[in-house]
């Protein structure tokens, strides 16, 4: 191996050893007791679930006495919420749920997570509740109101038409109620209000939550949280533990690079843009083979976008409509339909984009401004292409016999009657034949063509040149 190769291998090995040493030092347990803090901010999705799970595991391995799960979330995806709850219940050390700072909320999925924590605390001016589950279609499975005034035939038809949807909604609703009631019973909290939060989207402020035994106490900051939790007995993994947390330092556990990366790509707008960048990159590579850069970048973006989509609640009807829209736009390039395919493609693309993440879960929908901007750009590009096509159809031919018969030129040498010679026509030298004798320098016009031989005649006086 060359000297340069040894240097490269040495650098790789050195970087690997340095990274391993850094990670071992970072994961080494501290000699003094501490409390870990995990901040769960924003919508709850796959990235948040993975972050909480890995942070709980790292804090446990580092020897933390407890974990403060500080929340400020509008809710999120059902499966991600269940993963976080499973991690809290399986934790070997107590997890203190803390809705903070002031002005924060633990709404929807955040309510379930707060109920799953052995200790539930809230900062002043925070609230909890509105835990009604929402499915991907955006329908809220609320109990149907009674209407005794409606005709019986109307009731029967409505009942028959919505039977399947109602059954599915009741399954989701009852499952959510059972989940939050079981969590409430596990930690001795208010199960009746928990059911109201799911069934009727009830909410409580911090002081109201403490009064109704939804939260254990109100704490203005993390130090006060640890002080008020000190001495309380909680149940962890089937056993009771008395907390001794007063005065312990807090150690933050921020997301690692993988959790940050997942948080970026699972943003629905980012995933949507990555998907489009991948599709159009591959299209550019197909139209310009050998350029490589669009194909490589498009392939990477497409794979990352598809990976993000399989983690998110995607509507496959919307994805199919987007694919149809792109196919119609490409067909417009090869099949002249005066814009029919192109306009249909733009409409299908925009509708599919809106339907792609059809959900009312906060933070999990594509920004409509991005969709509108892309749709407008597609329509502008289509209009420009149609305008260029129409101009090309109306333009005069630049070659062929029709254009050649309009050209004029000048003889470069004398031509005898019925003889041949050379002339400059349209800036080019052509072999010409004339039925009449013409001297050199005569202005001639083309009257016929036989292959590469042009038949010419003297241009009449007052006859202008063709442009």
């Amino acid at each position: 191996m060359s000297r340069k190769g040894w240097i490269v291998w040495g650098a790789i090995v050195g970087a690997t050893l340095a990274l391993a040493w850094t990670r071992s030092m970072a994961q080494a347990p501290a000699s003094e007791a501490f409390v870990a803090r995990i901040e769960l901010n924003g919508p709850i999705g796959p990235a948040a679930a993975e972050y909480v799970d890995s942070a709980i595991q790292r804090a446990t391995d580092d020897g933390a006495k407890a974990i403060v799960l500080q929340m400020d979330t509008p809710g999120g995806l059902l499966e991600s919420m269940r993963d976080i709850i499973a991690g809290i219940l399986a934790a070997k050390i107590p997890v203190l749920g803390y809705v903070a700072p002031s002005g924060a909320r633990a709404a929807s999925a955040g309510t379930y997570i707060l109920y799953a924590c052995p200790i539930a605390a809230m900062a002043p001016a925070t609230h909890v509740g509105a835990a009604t589950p929402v499915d991907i279609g955006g329908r809220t499975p609320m109990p149907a109101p009674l209407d005794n005034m409606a005709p019986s035939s109307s009731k029967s038809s409505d009942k028959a038409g919505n039977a399947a949807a109602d059954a599915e909604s009741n399954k989701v609703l009852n499952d959510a109620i059972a989940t939050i009631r079981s969590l409430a019973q596990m930690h001795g909290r208010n199960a009746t209000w928990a059911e109201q939060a799911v069934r009727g989207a009830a909410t409580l402020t911090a002081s109201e939550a403490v009064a109704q035994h939804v939260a254990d106490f109100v704490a203005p900051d993390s130090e006060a949280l640890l002080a008020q939790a000190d001495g309380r007995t909680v149940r962890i993994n089937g056993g009771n533990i008395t907390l001794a947390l007063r005065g312990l330092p807090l150690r933050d556990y921020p997301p690692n690079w993988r959790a940050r990366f997942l948080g970026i790509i699972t943003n629905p707008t980012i995933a949507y843009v990555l998907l489009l960048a991948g599709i159009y990159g591959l299209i550019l590579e197909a139209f310009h083979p050998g350029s490589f850069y669009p194909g490589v970048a498009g392939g990477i973006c497409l794979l990352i976008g598809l990976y993000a989509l399989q983690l998110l609640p995607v509507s496959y009807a919307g994805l199919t409509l987007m694919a149809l829209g792109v196919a119609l736009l490409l067909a417009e390039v090869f099949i002249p339909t005066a814009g029919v395919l192109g306009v249909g493609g733009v409409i299908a693309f925009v509708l599919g984009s809106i339907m792609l993440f059809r959900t009312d879960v906060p933070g999990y929908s594509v920004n409509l401004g991005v969709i509108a901007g892309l749709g407008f750009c597609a329509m502008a590009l289509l209009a420009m292409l149609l305008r260029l096509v129409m101009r090309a159809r109306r333009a005069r031919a630049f070659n062929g016999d029709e254009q050649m018969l309009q050209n004029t030129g000048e003889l470069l040498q004398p031509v005898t009657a019925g003889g041949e010679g050379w002339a400059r026509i349209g800036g080019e030298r052509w072999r010409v034949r004339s039925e009449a004798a013409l001297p050199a320098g005569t202005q001639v016009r083309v009257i016929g063509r036989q292959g590469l031989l042009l038949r010419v005649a003297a241009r009449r006086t007052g006859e202008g040149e063709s442009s």
Side-chain angles (χ1 to χ4, degrees):
M1 185 182 293
S2 65
R3 181 178 179 183
K4 185 176 180 180
W6 283 111
I7 293 175
V8 172
W9 276 107
I12 294 175
V13 173
T16 305
L17 293 176
L19 180 61
W21 179 80
T22 302
R23 293 187 63 183
S24 65
M25 291 298 292
Q27 294 176 357
S31 57
E32 63 178 6
F34 70 96
V35 175
R37 178 165 55 190
I38 302 172
E39 294 187 3
L40 183 58
N41 298 322
I44 294 172
E50 180 167 324
Y51 160 54
V52 172
D53 182 68
S54 63
I56 290 176
Q57 186 61 47
R58 285 189 289 132
T60 304
D61 294 341
D62 290 349
K65 296 299 182 182
I67 296 173
V68 174
L69 180 59
Q70 184 170 312
M71 291 184 289
D72 180 11
T73 174
L77 304 179
L78 180 64
E79 291 302 320
S80 300
M81 177 201 76
R82 292 188 180 278
D83 291 340
I84 293 176
I85 291 176
I88 293 173
L89 298 180
K92 299 178 181 179
I93 55 178
V95 178
L96 284 65
Y98 183 37
V99 184
S102 295
R105 55 179 171 166
S108 191
T111 304
Y112 295 81
I113 295 173
L114 187 67
Y115 262 84
C117 296
I119 295 291
M122 300 175 68
T126 58
H127 65 273
V128 62
T132 304
V134 179
D135 66 9
I136 287 179
R139 298 172 58 253
T140 303
M142 301 286 288
L146 297 176
D147 187 3
N148 296 325
M149 300 302 294
S152 58
S153 60
S154 175
K155 288 181 182 179
S156 300
S157 61
D158 290 344
K159 214 177 270 186
N162 297 322
D166 289 344
E168 184 64 26
S169 298
N170 288 331
K171 284 182 181 179
V172 175
L173 185 66
N174 292 332
D175 180 70
I177 291 173
T179 299
I180 201 166
R181 286 185 64 89
S182 64
L183 294 174
Q185 294 167 3
M186 176 183 294
H187 299 302
R189 299 206 179 97
N190 191 334
T192 302
W193 181 87
E195 182 173 347
Q196 292 176 358
V198 176
R199 191 180 296 276
T203 58
L204 292 175
T205 63
S207 58
E208 292 170 345
V210 174
Q212 296 199 32
H213 304 289
V214 172
D216 295 310
F217 51 82
V218 176
D221 52 39
S222 298
E223 288 74 16
L225 167 68
L226 299 183
Q228 295 189 59
D230 187 72
R232 292 176 178 261
T233 300
V234 296
R235 189 172 183 81
I236 302 294
N237 288 329
N240 294 328
I241 298 177
T242 300
L243 302 178
L245 306 177
R246 185 184 298 271
L248 293 184
L250 284 167
R251 182 187 298 181
D252 289 321
Y253 279 74
N256 56 20
W257 69 268
R258 174 181 168 83
R260 293 180 187 274
F261 177 71
L262 284 179
I264 293 173
I265 66 172
T266 53
N267 182 304
T269 301
I270 299 297
Y272 173 74
V273 172
L274 284 172
L275 184 65
L276 294 186
I279 292 173
Y280 287 112
L282 295 180
I283 290 174
L284 286 176
E285 181 67 29
F287 279 104
H288 302 279
S291 55
F292 297 113
Y293 292 107
V296 172
I300 294 173
C301 291
L302 183 62
L303 290 177
I304 295 176
L306 291 175
Y307 175 72
L309 290 182
Q310 63 95 20
L311 296 175
L312 297 172
V314 177
S315 169
Y316 291 101
L319 196 61
T320 304
L321 271 175
M322 287 180 61
L324 176 63
V326 173
L328 291 176
L329 287 172
L330 288 176
E332 181 66 37
V333 177
F334 300 101
I335 305 174
T337 60
V340 175
L341 291 179
V343 172
V346 172
I347 294 174
F349 178 81
V350 171
L351 291 178
S353 300
I354 295 173
M355 296 170 57
L356 185 60
F357 298 102
R358 189 70 177 96
T359 173
D360 286 347
V361 177
Y364 283 91
S365 59
V366 179
N367 190 305
L368 292 180
V370 174
I371 298 176
L374 290 173
F376 176 79
C377 291
M379 287 298 294
L381 181 61
L382 179 62
M384 184 182 68
L385 291 176
L386 290 176
R387 183 170 181 270
L388 292 176
V389 168
M390 297 306 296
R391 284 181 58 184
R393 289 183 176 180
R394 291 194 302 265
R396 191 175 56 192
F398 288 95
N399 51 27
D401 292 344
E402 181 181 354
Q403 177 65 20
M404 185 61 69
L405 293 177
Q406 301 175 9
N407 282 342
T408 60
E410 179 182 356
L411 285 177
L412 300 178
Q413 61 184 126
V415 178
T416 60
E420 298 180 359
W422 290 93
R424 184 177 301 278
I425 299 175
E428 300 174 337
R429 287 172 58 90
W430 285 86
R431 190 72 176 171
V432 298
R433 172 183 293 174
S434 174
E435 300 299 329
L438 299 173
T442 303
Q443 296 294 316
V444 296
R445 58 185 178 86
V446 179
I447 60 174
R449 177 180 177 181
Q450 297 174 347
L452 297 179
L453 179 65
L454 301 181
R455 295 188 295 110
V456 298
R459 195 177 65 189
R460 295 187 294 271
T461 303
E463 184 178 13
E465 296 183 359
S466 63
S467 57

